[in-house]
């Protein structure tokens, strides 16, 4: 976890993600990113010099009409001494069975965001931590450019005035390969997604295309990330940059 803690500490300091007194809702889907982020935030409490509290929140979307098994996540939270909230929803049924969405990801994401925001407020949290990693940043930047025809990305930190919540992404400097390694080395429990669209999305296609381009042109993704930071778009500018 040493490398992951370094990435997270850098993001927290560069983007002012966490402050004293924060109560942070960690969105734990059960995937490697969210589980590693949860453990990392708990470990950082010991030495980062910021007094904050962590609450883990999982949304059970009931994909295929079945409840998910999140006992491994509940056990991890118990080991870490973290409050755990499991929210039962019917998002999967609504998106796939009722609405029968041909492009389900957008609606599913909106519904999950809304449910997570409500759960965070109910738990008394003022911030929500999401597990988007370094690769997610680059993929989103490319998807916005090539699919939507615009320059932009999600922000490392953003304030939702309607809900009075701040979204933070502590893993934005952490490459997916390092997160996967940390999860394996620390024997962290991973709950595989039962989403019917998992692995067949536009994001997966972009991920594969970027991986191929990086093999052909070493450092391609890193240069894209550097361009995003230099542009200063959506809060990605350097902290010490002056006009």
């Amino acid at each position: 976890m040493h490398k992951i803690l370094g990435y997270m500490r850098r993001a927290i300091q560069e983007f002012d993600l966490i402050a004293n007194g924060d109560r942070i809702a960690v969105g734990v889907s059960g995937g490697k990113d969210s589980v590693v982020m949860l453990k990392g935030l708990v470990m950082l409490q010991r030495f980062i010099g910021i007094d904050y509290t962590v609450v883990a929140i999982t949304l059970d979307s009931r994909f295929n009409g079945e409840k998910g098994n999140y006992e491994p996540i509940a056990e991890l939270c118990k080991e870490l001494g973290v409050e755990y909230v499991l929210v039962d929803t019917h998002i999967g049924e609504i998106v796939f069975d009722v609405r029968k969405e041909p492009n389900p990801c957008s609606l599913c994401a909106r519904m999950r965001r809304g449910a997570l925001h409500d759960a965070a407020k109910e738990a008394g949290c003022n911030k929500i931590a999401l597990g988007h990693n370094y690769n997610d940043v680059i993929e989103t930047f490319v998807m916005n450019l090539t699919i939507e025809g615009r320059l932009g990305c999600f922000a490392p930190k953003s304030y939702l005035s309607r809900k009075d919540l701040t979204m933070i992404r502590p893993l934005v400097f952490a490459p997916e390969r390092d997160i996967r390694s940390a999860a394996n080395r620390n024997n962290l429990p991973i709950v595989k997604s039962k989403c019917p669209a998992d692995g067949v999305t536009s994001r997966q296609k972009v991920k594969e295309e970027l991986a191929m381009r990086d093999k052909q042109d070493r450092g391609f993704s890193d240069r894209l990330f550097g361009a995003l930071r230099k542009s200063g778009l959506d809060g990605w500018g350097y902290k010490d940059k002056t006009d």
Side-chain angles (χ1 to χ4, degrees):
M1 286 291 294
H2 180 72
K3 290 180 71 173
I4 298 298
L5 294 180
Y7 292 131
M8 293 180 70
R9 185 172 189 172
R10 178 185 168 196
I12 290 169
Q13 293 175 340
E14 284 204 29
F15 300 118
D16 296 319
L17 300 185
I18 301 177
N20 285 323
D22 281 345
R23 183 171 170 84
I24 305 170
V26 181
V28 183
S29 65
K32 64 184 185 310
D33 300 316
S34 61
V35 173
V36 168
M37 177 178 64
L38 173 63
K39 185 174 178 64
L41 284 172
V42 172
M43 293 179 70
L44 282 172
Q45 284 178 307
R46 304 172 190 169
F47 61 84
I48 199 170
I50 307 173
D51 181 21
Y52 62 91
T53 305
V54 171
V55 179
I57 299 179
T58 296
L59 303 177
D60 186 351
S61 297
R62 284 180 174 253
F63 289 118
N64 301 312
E66 300 177 359
K67 293 188 69 171
N69 178 17
Y70 295 99
E71 283 300 318
I73 305 301
E75 186 60 33
L76 173 65
C77 289
K78 184 177 180 181
E79 293 174 8
L80 296 174
V82 171
E83 179 183 345
Y84 183 52
V85 179
L86 176 60
V87 181
D88 191 21
T89 79
H90 295 275
I91 293 174
E93 296 169 79
I94 293 171
V95 173
F96 290 98
D97 302 328
V98 178
R99 295 280 296 269
K100 300 184 185 301
E101 288 287 320
N103 300 297
C105 295
S106 179
L107 176 60
C108 184
R110 290 199 305 272
M111 294 183 70
R112 288 179 64 83
R113 279 197 300 270
L116 181 58
H117 296 170
D118 291 342
K121 293 297 290 185
E122 189 172 337
C125 298
N126 66 308
K127 288 184 178 176
I128 297 178
L130 300 178
H132 295 103
N133 61 47
Y134 180 87
N135 298 81
D136 291 326
V137 177
I138 300 165
E139 291 159 15
T140 301
F141 181 56
V142 171
M143 289 173 68
N144 286 340
L145 178 62
T146 60
I147 298 176
E148 298 184 19
R150 66 181 180 88
L151 292 172
C153 187
F154 55 72
K157 177 182 178 181
S158 55
Y159 178 65
L160 308 176
S161 58
R162 190 166 60 86
K163 286 288 186 178
D164 190 27
L165 285 167
T166 299
M167 309 288 287
I168 62 173
R169 294 175 167 89
L171 284 179
V172 290
F173 289 134
E176 187 174 14
R177 63 178 180 274
D178 290 340
I179 295 173
R180 183 181 297 108
S181 176
N184 292 335
R185 287 175 178 271
N186 289 271
N187 296 311
L188 295 178
I190 305 301
V191 177
K192 183 171 175 53
S193 172
K194 293 184 179 181
C195 173
D198 188 37
V200 293
T201 61
S202 297
R203 179 174 294 275
Q204 181 63 32
K205 182 180 179 181
V206 169
K207 181 188 291 289
E208 293 170 359
E209 290 174 347
L210 283 170
M212 184 179 299
R213 182 61 187 267
D214 278 323
K215 286 183 179 179
Q216 299 170 345
D217 183 2
R218 187 174 181 180
F220 178 75
S221 289
D222 292 338
R223 292 194 295 274
L224 288 178
F225 188 84
L228 176 61
R229 294 223 63 191
K230 291 174 184 176
S231 74
L233 285 168
D234 299 324
W236 283 101
Y238 293 97
K239 189 175 183 179
D240 58 353
K241 185 176 179 180
T242 56
D243 295 329

